[in-house]
Amino acid sequence: MKIVKYSPIYGNNIGDLMISKCIENLFLRHGIIIESRDFLMRDVNSFEERNIKDNLRMSASFFLQNRLPWLFYQIKKTKFELSSSSKKYISSLDGVDGVIFGGGNILMSNKGCDYAYRVVRMLKSTPDNISKNLVFCGAGPFEFEEKKLIKSLIKLSDSIFVRDEVSYEYFDNNEKVKKIADPVFTLSDISVARNKSSKYIGVNIIANYFSQSEILEFAKQLCEISEKLNMPIKIINTAFPQDSIAAVKLKNSVKLINKNILIKIEDAKSSPQELADIYSDVGVFIGCRMHSIIFALTYGIPSIGFMWDDKVSSMFDEFYKDKKIVNKIVLSKNKFKLDNAVLFAMDIDQMSYLNEIKSSIYLGVEKIVCNLNRSLK
């Protein structure tokens, strides 16, 4: 059985890379080798932060998606239709039995993103004798063409497995759609956190979420919790390049408030073991990007998160299945108390929840494999 998987694995987002590696490992347990390819037809893990051309292109894209999303959406759709991407995709399917799209947040049309449109177009061009599956996908937000895109995704796919309740709700309880938690919760079964300690407060910050005054408030409360716990701070970047700029702003703000606080910035690596090592000395984690938080949770690190997107609270819902817990550890940037949330999280038995969600993922993959085998008969 030859299965190819398409997802964003360019390398500028470590979460996307770990999703891919975890999916490969989950299917390998069933004797299925997944060949992963980048969703946008780029070389896998080829992003270099110091590539000036890439940085300029991404900065221009960032401006358009925030200021002129509809125009950006039309540009992206037109570019896909005129480019060689579709032809490359079709030619890549020779000898393929099944194709997977996912995981990650690829079923969306928010801020000019054409991912859902692209998935639909690729599904349409896939021959009928090839099994077509959406696996571990995040759905939404849909700013444009929501109903049309959802209808097409259901019609064209043999199976759809989404990662959380927020994603599931977009499909109106369609019987073809099932839920399975994010595969990155199983990362700790691939790479072990060596020399584990609780030295640092881990932090992740996402670009353009906090205003300057909110960054200062965040920094002020970080200083307070750092002093209370007697722990230095480690900011962990998991997406590039914009988040790196936000990390520097946060570090400078902490130093402005208290120059004696020890704080450093580390960039997450694309190797699962190197990533595990970066998290190995983190005792508690305060995150923005969803996968930066999942990285912490999979290594049993007490974690809280900021509600910059619905997927953050939805991820915690899948992990804890307890709204009382989630409501105390998911924070709003407008009103939050870090110390209360951090101390609450540190009292939770993380491993029992982790073991439960891992079991559900392994069981879910068995169902996906059964669906694959059934669609290939």
Side-chain angles (χ1 to χ4, degrees), residues 153-209:
L153 290 167
I154 293 171
K155 179 182 177 181
L156 296 168
S157 303
D158 293 313
S159 68
I160 301 175
F161 289 82
V162 295
R163 69 187 179 193
D164 52 34
E165 186 64 27
V166 168
S167 300
Y168 183 74
E169 288 173 355
Y170 281 105
F171 293 89
D172 294 327
N173 297 315
N174 187 280
E175 61 181 11
K176 186 183 284 187
V177 184
K178 304 290 188 285
K179 273 199 313 178
I180 182 170
D182 197 290
V184 178
F185 283 113
T186 67
L187 181 63
S188 51
D189 291 338
I190 299 175
S191 54
V192 178
R194 301 174 294 197
N195 303 316
K196 193 165 175 56
S197 66
S198 298
K199 180 178 179 181
Y200 289 99
I201 298 170
V203 177
N204 171 265
I205 184 169
I206 192 170
N208 296 299
Y209 172 61

Side-chain angles (χ1 to χ4, degrees), residues 37-308:
R37 299 171 182 170
D38 182 64
F39 183 54
L40 301 181
M41 307 300 166
R42 303 162 295 191
D43 292 335
V44 174
N45 197 17
S46 59
F47 174 81
E48 290 289 342
E49 189 178 0
R50 294 184 177 87
N51 187 317
I52 295 174
K53 183 179 178 182
D54 268 355
N55 283 348
L56 289 173
R57 178 182 58 78
M58 293 181 74
S59 295
S61 296
F62 198 77
F63 172 82
L64 286 170
Q65 69 186 25
N66 283 283
R67 300 296 180 89
L68 301 166
W70 172 249
L71 175 61
F72 192 45
Y73 184 58
Q74 298 305 319
I75 290 172
K76 299 281 277 186
K77 287 169 61 177
T78 303
K79 183 179 177 182
F80 174 74
E81 296 299 340
L82 296 177
S83 72
S84 61
S85 293
S86 184
K87 291 180 180 178
K88 284 182 180 178
Y89 170 70
I90 294 169
S91 65
S92 73
L93 297 178
D94 288 344
V96 169
D97 299 302
V99 62
I100 287 173
F101 293 94
N105 212 49
I106 64 170
L107 307 181
M108 62 182 292
S109 64
N110 188 45
K111 293 189 174 181
C113 180
D114 69 332
Y115 280 8
Y117 173 83
R118 185 178 288 255
V119 172
V120 167
R121 296 294 293 144
M122 292 168 81
L123 285 169
K124 282 183 177 178
S125 62
T126 304
D128 291 339
N129 65 322
I130 294 177
S131 176
K132 298 173 280 290
N133 307 272
L134 308 181
V135 176
F136 290 110
C137 292
F142 287 91
E143 194 172 359
F144 312 114
E145 303 183 307
E146 177 182 336
K147 291 183 178 179
K148 178 181 176 181
L149 291 168
I150 290 293
K151 183 178 179 180
S152 296
L153 290 167
I154 293 171
K155 179 182 177 181
L156 296 168
S157 303
D158 293 313
S159 68
I160 301 175
F161 289 82
V162 295
R163 69 187 179 193
D164 52 34
E165 186 64 27
V166 168
S167 300
Y168 183 74
E169 288 173 355
Y170 281 105
F171 293 89
D172 294 327
N173 297 315
N174 187 280
E175 61 181 11
K176 186 183 284 187
V177 184
K178 304 290 188 285
K179 273 199 313 178
I180 182 170
D182 197 290
V184 178
F185 283 113
T186 67
L187 181 63
S188 51
D189 291 338
I190 299 175
S191 54
V192 178
R194 301 174 294 197
N195 303 316
K196 193 165 175 56
S197 66
S198 298
K199 180 178 179 181
Y200 289 99
I201 298 170
V203 177
N204 171 265
I205 184 169
I206 192 170
N208 296 299
Y209 172 61
F210 295 99
S211 66
Q212 186 55 45
S213 61
E214 289 163 347
I215 285 181
L216 283 170
E217 178 60 27
F218 188 15
K220 174 177 172 288
Q221 294 196 36
L222 271 178
C223 290
E224 291 171 356
I225 196 70
S226 174
E227 290 186 311
K228 180 178 287 188
L229 298 177
N230 193 27
M231 295 167 68
I233 301 163
K234 181 199 286 191
I235 302 174
I236 301 175
N237 288 328
T238 62
F240 313 96
Q242 280 86 2
D243 288 6
S244 302
I245 299 169
V248 171
K249 287 181 180 178
L250 180 59
K251 179 182 176 182
N252 291 342
S253 297
V254 166
K255 282 298 186 182
L256 183 67
I257 293 166
N258 188 338
K259 64 181 181 181
N260 295 319
I261 295 287
L262 296 177
I263 181 169
K264 67 176 182 176
I265 299 173
E266 283 194 26
D267 291 339
K269 308 300 182 184
S270 59
S271 155
Q273 189 55 61
E274 288 179 299
L275 182 65
D277 291 342
I278 285 175
Y279 275 81
S280 65
D281 55 5
V282 173
V284 65
F285 192 77
I286 304 163
C288 287
R289 286 199 178 270
M290 186 183 77
H291 283 99
S292 77
I293 302 169
I294 296 178
F295 297 154
L297 290 172
T298 191
Y299 292 112
I301 300 168
S303 302
I304 66 174
F306 279 95
M307 183 67 170
W308 68 275

Side-chain angles (χ1 to χ4, degrees), residues 307-324:
M307 183 67 170
W308 68 275
D309 190 286
D310 286 346
K311 65 185 180 183
V312 175
S313 61
S314 194
M315 175 274 295
F316 276 120
D317 284 337
E318 294 300 316
F319 187 74
Y320 289 115
K321 300 190 182 304
D322 186 333
K323 269 293 183 186
K324 290 181 180 179

